[in-house]
Amino acid sequence: MKLEVNQLVSFVALGLLGWASMQVYQMNAQLTVTSYKVEENYNMIKPMWQDFLVRSARYNEHQQNIHSVPGIQASRGNQ
């Protein structure tokens, strides 16, 4: 049985094409899992982030009230 170069090249190309398609399939599966994990992580962190923003806004508002100068001016008597 004699193997021609054309058949050998076709066999190698078919093997590479099969390997590449398996790699794309595995990459798609990993991407789907990663996407799911990121979505779940986002859903877990979102309430904590919102709470942090509310607390930061309250803290900043409180700090501004502490350091603000009162609008009352002292007088020196009957002047």
Side-chain angles (χ1 to χ4, degrees):
M1 180 171 179
K2 188 176 178 184
L3 204 60
E4 292 184 18
V5 174
N6 197 11
Q7 289 175 335
L8 182 62
V9 170
S10 297
F11 180 73
V12 169
L14 188 61
L16 285 174
L17 188 62
W19 176 80
S21 66
M22 288 300 295
Q23 294 299 317
V24 169
Y25 178 76
Q26 288 177 353
M27 183 179 64
N28 188 22
Q30 289 174 352
L31 182 63
T32 303
V33 169
T34 302
S35 176
Y36 174 75
K37 287 181 180 180
V38 167
E39 182 69 26
E40 289 299 312
N41 192 22
Y42 173 76
N43 290 335
M44 180 182 66
I45 291 175
K46 185 178 177 180
M48 291 185 285
W49 179 247
Q50 289 173 338
D51 182 54
F52 169 76
L53 291 177
V54 168
R55 287 176 187 237
S56 293
R58 287 181 186 159
Y59 177 77
N60 289 339
E61 183 179 299
H62 179 71
Q63 289 297 334
Q64 287 176 355
N65 289 339
I66 288 175
H67 297 298
S68 64
V69 177
I72 303 170
Q73 294 187 5
S75 64
R76 291 188 175 174
N78 292 337
Q79 292 181 357

